[in-house]
Amino acid sequence: MTKVLIVDDEPQILRALRINLRARGYEIEVAGDGASALRVASAYHPDVLVLDLGLPDMDGIDVIRGLRGWSAVPIVVLSGRTGSEDKVQALDAGADDYVTKPFGVDELLARIRAVTRRHAATPDARSVVQIGRYRVDIANHQVSDVSGGGDVRLTPTEWQLLGALVRNPGKLVTHRQLLREIWGPQYATETNYLRQYMAQLRRKLEDDAAHPRQLLTEPGMGYRFVRSPDIPAQ
């Protein structure tokens, strides 16, 4: 059963889509704002996300960027914004398709089927990496100790932070970019959040948290993930 997360602040749209998609065999979860969408997506692991851009707490574009920091889930934007600039921004941020309101349910379902087919045919090669002795599967939220030890549990926020770095191997990911994607634009200067969560990730994944080899700090700028020189991504 395909799992769909619908993000919209209009109760009537949430209700209509929940009824129509469930009647067609979809499993549905809903969220009414951006922060809830990121939180639910991390816990629910939807197969596709239907997203309105006009959310009460943050712009839908920031939700897309936040998701793309750690997830390749197909995103269909469902918005009343009809301008070409809005469409370009959403697609550039990582959306897979764009449907304008008012809309037909049959058209939306066809778009959902299309993006899920494309996604199934193009798995993300960067979703599995090696960090020290751990095999990290970003897509399935699993950390396995290849030396035979116990698995490691990461929090949803730790997964978001790790995913944002892993999907940009070797590249500097700035404090501002990480804060906006994970916590929202209102937290763009709260670098203490990043220090706390990066320290937690290093304690869980690096062999020596005080001297990390792969989860690196770029002082005053941000963080960088460096692939293991011994074991390539799968």
Side-chain angles (χ1 to χ4, degrees), residues 43-82:
Y44 180 60
H45 300 183
D47 298 307
V48 63
L49 188 142
V50 177
L51 174 70
D52 183 23
L53 297 182
L55 300 173
D57 58 338
M58 67 175 74
D59 194 276
I61 301 296
D62 290 318
V63 176
I64 297 172
R65 292 179 180 135
L67 285 165
R68 285 294 172 255
W70 57 275
S71 174
V73 60
I75 299 172
V76 178
V77 170
L78 181 62
S79 176
R81 300 179 189 176
T82 59

Side-chain angles (χ1 to χ4, degrees), residues 111-130:
R111 302 292 186 98
I112 289 173
R113 291 194 296 269
V115 297
T116 51
R117 284 197 302 269
R118 291 198 299 269
H119 180 72
T122 55
D124 188 349
R126 296 171 294 175
S127 66
V128 179
V129 296
Q130 197 79 20

Side-chain angles (χ1 to χ4, degrees), residues 179 183 186-195:
L179 288 163
W183 285 279
Q186 66 270 35
Y187 294 94
T189 61
E190 302 290 343
T191 55
N192 58 304
Y193 285 15
L194 290 176
R195 287 194 296 271

